[in-house]
Amino acid sequence: MAAMKPRTGDGPMEVTKEGRGIIMRVPVEGGGRLVVELNPDEAQELLKCLQGVAD
């Protein structure tokens, strides 16, 4: 049986490259984290969208 890790949900936003994918972990209100896997093209599109609203 695999060791169980506690789910704290707290922590900073983080983005890591795993293999060919990019994993983004975003803490959400109320606890937990939103985990999204993106390919490089999707990450570039997300970057453009965020730059458009984060002025």
Side-chain angles (χ1 to χ4, degrees), residues 5-52:
K5 293 182 180 178
R7 292 179 171 241
T8 62
D10 296 332
M13 181 182 307
E14 54 185 24
V15 179
T16 58
K17 186 167 182 167
E18 297 181 13
R20 294 186 195 177
I22 298 167
I23 307 296
M24 179 174 64
R25 293 175 181 89
V26 181
V28 293
E29 189 173 325
R33 292 166 68 126
L34 172 67
V35 180
V36 180
E37 182 174 359
L38 305 161
N39 64 41
D41 292 335
E42 293 168 329
Q44 286 296 321
E45 186 174 343
L46 176 60
L47 177 63
K48 289 177 190 175
C49 291
L50 291 172
Q51 287 175 331

